[in-house]
Amino acid sequence: MQKDYMLQMNPVARKEAIVAGEKYRFTVLTDRLIRMEYQESGEFVDEPTQTVICRDFPVQEYRVMEQEDSLEIVTPKLHLYYDKKPFSGEGLTIQLKEGFHVYGSVWNYGDTINDLKGTARTLDNADGAIELEKGLMSRDGFSVLDDSMTAFITQEQWVMAKPMESIDLYFFGYGHDYLGCLRDFYRLSGVTPLLPRYAMGNWWSRYYQYTEESYLELMHRFRERELPFAVAVIDMDWHLTDIPAKYGSGWTGYTWNPDFFPDPERFMNRLHEMGMHVTLNVHPADGVRAHEEAYLPMAKELGINYEEEDKIPFDAMDRQFMDAYFKYLHHPNEEKGVDFWWLDWQQGSRSKLAGVDTLWMLNHLHFLDNGRNGKKPLTFSRYAGVGSHRYPVGFSGDSYSTWDSLEFQPYFTANASNVGYSWWSHDIGGHQGGCRDDELAVRWLQFGVFSPIMRLHSTSNEFYGKEPWSYNMEAERIMTGFLQLRHRLIPYLYTMNYLTHLQGLPLLQPMYYRHDTEEAYHVPNQYYFGTQMIVCPITKPVSRRTLVAEFDAWLPEGEYFDFFTGQYYRGGRRMKLYRGMEYIPVLVPAGGVIPMAKDFMECHLHNPKELEVHIFNGADGSFDLYEDRTEENGKADPVVTRFEFTAGKTAEVHIRIEGEPEGVIPDKRCYDIRIRGIAEPSEIAFADNASVQFSQSYDAERKELGIRFCGENLKDINILVRLQDEKIIDPEKENVIFNLLHRAQIEYALKANIFEAVCSEKNRERLIGKLVQMEMDDDLTGAVVEQIIMDC
């Protein structure tokens, strides 16, 4: 294999961090992370493993107290006690100095860890919730990572079995500093790679017998309707599947089907011309049979009896086979246009090498191989255990198309951050089963837009397509808007991609990552989406009378705006949020700044020429926008555009470019600044940039100020917005309630009575009392009351 991209491994800890005896060794990696080893023969090794590739941490402050039959290691955060015997529950204990449990935060060797769970290998055939594997986070304040059985990674990036049995554990005692735990885990296990920009866009995927003509026709139809797609996922029917019975199943294949794709290179070139990247599905388990175009040269190289048409068996642990596997089966297709591979391994975790999962090996080798020639590497495959974050993107498998499946996915996706796994891709809309439900398709797509990877997918059933025009007109309109929104969000998403890579901040974070309060643990489907958004996906149908569905949310202390409607909320409470099918609740804190692309059809390929920057009034805020040369592998320094907002009677927007923008930021860029929740200004001025030509607008209904300007090589812009009233202004509640009632499928007289009460009674408590006395559905009462109390 040619490898330009290699894991950066520094497996040897500093000597000053090690406390060792004849049969034991402890390594103080941080004041909250300790490696614990026991080996009967006293032979300790420092090779990188499948899970741990760096132990070279700065030396920490710690004390050692040792007697003939005891050892204590004390850091500012932990106190370890050890009796110098084989590890046991009685002889090895670590106590956190801060208590996170009513009985104290104490771990004894062998204890069952009560953790917050991690993720799972797959959602194959899942119709709702499944059991999750262990994670790194615990409300008790500690967790243990067992690295005793994993294989070594050699300097050549291959694997080898451990030469002897040993106990090799890592104790994480980070309390409730979950992000701190993740940062040090990433240092230990390797950073999450930087994904290529196009991966942030929409992916089109379907298990279906497309032809070159039908596939390209579909892509053209998407473009005609301004439906942006960045990745063309070609499922297994690209290759021959109807093969002679003597060769077995057609599930594995590497030879293009000439009836469907007579000229594969031409087909993929045309997809590239439309701005799409290409991935092909492969099921490699059955090896290479004699009907394949690559069989003869590959069999000759591997010494297979090709005259008898002996099968070339698949063996991920055979280096000679894997070299030929890439040389004959993958690289020629990549030369024709394949950008990365969808590895559909479903044959379990066993391999010929103890401790090595075949799926892990495939992910590892494919990712390294895809990084050759200097591009940002990418693969697409199932999760293969702790450390799999190094090989994005994750394919979660074939889930059922049901409300129960959708209900589970937000929690499943955010919770994967508990093992550092940031980039799940789900079959948005479900792969199989279920029944036709346009609302379910809309809600799933809305979640997909606010998930790591937005990939529509379905099975080969003729009635199962996910094209927006396959649904009713309202569903089509909403789906179109959200697919466009995903691409408009790419500047924001690509920045979060950088923050995951550089700072260890997952795109999706459970609420308890940032709020150490009881309420944060009881909203499993609510999560942070990057640094600026809180997302509450709706996973239940609307009421057929009120046409709204609810999300039982928890709003942290602070002030928030709904991203879509501009409505203003005060936090610090549980609150039911109600939405029709058009939107889901997405909340942005006051002072939030969200950069978006206006040229959404092409922004997955290059940095946008037109930026739309949404700023939410009420507090100071800032955002650093990361941009780079999109196809390079991330070694070059990104260019950062810093947006700063200062709230007040004279509000200020400051835009400053840090770094060398040439070749990264378009020479001429237009900015459309949208300040939400603000009064109409009395004056707008460009301080120190009086020559900049700009236009302004004000949307009185949305309470949104627009400032648009363009320029060449603008590196430092300061905009002053003078206001007569600096308080937060949100949309008129009477209008929102009127629209809610107008759509509701309820009695006209009841609508009129509710609206009359809303308009005439100005005392909130008395108004709520009147509403409760009316014969209203619970969700209608809740939706109206939400409007009344959201800002109090």
Side-chain angles (χ1 to χ4, degrees), residues 28 30-32 34 61-62 73-78 97:
V28 182
T30 77
D31 60 359
R32 298 179 286 183
I34 297 179
E61 173 191 346
Y62 69 94
I73 299 175
V74 183
T75 79
K77 298 293 185 180
L78 307 176
K97 292 188 176 180

Side-chain angles (χ1 to χ4, degrees), residues 356-552:
V356 179
D357 183 339
T358 297
L359 176 62
W360 182 91
M361 193 67 174
L362 279 168
N363 294 350
H364 173 71
L365 295 178
H366 265 277
F367 195 82
L368 296 181
D369 185 73
N370 195 249
R372 70 188 194 284
N373 303 324
K375 69 176 183 179
K376 293 184 178 76
L378 194 66
T379 192
F380 181 36
S381 183
R382 289 173 174 82
Y383 174 78
V386 180
S388 291
H389 64 277
R390 296 193 303 260
Y391 313 114
V393 164
F395 165 51
S396 68
D398 302 337
S399 61
Y400 275 81
S401 183
T402 64
W403 285 99
D404 286 342
S405 286
L406 174 58
E407 168 71 17
F408 182 61
Q409 282 195 5
Y411 162 71
F412 175 82
T413 311
N415 213 69
S417 296
N418 288 347
V419 284
Y421 201 66
S422 303
W423 295 108
W424 266 126
S425 170
H426 303 305
D427 289 354
I428 296 300
H431 171 74
Q432 60 192 345
C435 61
R436 170 68 179 254
D437 189 329
D438 289 14
E439 183 187 359
L440 174 61
V442 168
R443 291 303 193 196
W444 216 319
L445 189 146
Q446 289 170 333
F447 162 64
V449 167
F450 291 96
S451 66
I453 300 294
M454 187 16 242
R455 179 179 55 87
L456 291 172
H457 183 74
S458 58
T459 191
S460 58
N461 186 310
E462 289 289 345
F463 297 98
Y464 228 118
K466 295 296 194 310
E467 298 88 347
W469 57 81
S470 298
Y471 301 92
N472 65 53
M473 292 179 64
E474 181 187 19
E476 179 186 0
R477 176 181 58 80
I478 296 169
M479 295 171 85
T480 296
F482 271 83
L483 288 167
Q484 293 172 348
L485 173 62
R486 176 69 185 202
H487 274 234
R488 292 172 61 207
L489 284 169
I490 285 178
Y492 178 79
L493 292 165
Y494 197 63
T495 294
M496 297 307 131
N497 179 25
Y498 256 103
L499 295 188
T500 301
H501 175 63
L502 295 177
Q503 300 179 21
L505 295 174
L507 174 61
L508 271 67
Q509 298 173 24
M511 296 302 292
Y512 50 76
Y513 273 31
R514 302 197 204 174
H515 306 281
D516 190 13
T517 61
E518 184 65 27
E519 293 89 345
Y521 293 91
H522 297 286
V523 282
N525 271 15
Q526 179 179 328
Y527 53 85
Y528 277 96
F529 188 68
T531 59
Q532 308 287 301
M533 296 179 173
I534 295 174
V535 177
C536 306
I538 289 179
T539 57
K540 294 181 173 62
V542 300
S543 160
R544 296 308 168 195
R545 279 174 55 81
T546 63
L547 300 185
V548 294
E550 72 175 47
F551 186 97
D552 191 3

Side-chain angles (χ1 to χ4, degrees), residues 258-311:
D259 294 334
F260 295 163
F261 300 98
D263 189 337
E265 187 170 4
R266 178 184 64 195
F267 168 63
M268 290 186 282
N269 282 342
R270 288 181 178 174
L271 288 173
H272 289 148
E273 289 166 4
M274 286 189 275
M276 302 187 75
H277 288 71
V278 180
T279 182
L280 301 184
N281 173 280
V282 287
H283 299 86
D286 278 348
V288 183
R289 281 77 57 84
H291 70 281
E292 302 282 7
E293 289 178 351
Y295 172 78
L296 186 58
M298 189 173 178
K300 287 180 177 179
E301 181 160 319
L302 295 174
I304 301 294
N305 188 344
Y306 55 86
E307 293 179 348
E308 295 294 328
E309 294 191 337
D310 288 352
K311 182 173 82 169

Side-chain angles (χ1 to χ4, degrees), residues 77-176:
K77 298 293 185 180
L78 307 176
H79 195 146
L80 179 148
Y81 304 84
Y82 175 50
D83 64 2
K84 296 189 175 182
K85 298 177 182 177
F87 287 174
S88 68
E90 298 76 26
L92 178 58
T93 298
I94 299 180
Q95 182 173 11
L96 274 64
K97 292 188 176 180
E98 295 180 65
F100 296 93
H101 192 279
V102 66
Y103 301 113
S105 292
V106 179
W107 171 79
N108 299 294
Y109 176 80
D111 282 354
T112 299
I113 304 294
N114 182 28
D115 68 296
L116 289 164
K117 302 298 182 182
T119 190
R121 186 182 185 95
T122 181
L123 294 177
D124 281 331
N125 300 315
D127 187 2
I130 64 168
E131 184 67 25
L132 300 183
E133 298 174 15
K134 291 288 187 180
L136 299 171
M137 317 303 176
S138 169
R139 295 191 70 178
D140 291 342
F142 56 82
S143 62
V144 174
L145 175 63
D146 189 346
D147 200 34
S148 304
M149 301 300 293
T150 57
F152 291 153
I153 300 178
T154 69
Q155 290 303 312
E156 295 77 30
Q157 312 273 301
W158 198 254
V159 292
M160 61 176 288
K162 287 186 175 179
M164 76 286 288
E165 290 187 4
S166 65
I167 297 173
D168 192 355
L169 308 176
Y170 292 82
F171 180 88
F172 291 79
Y174 284 77
H176 293 175

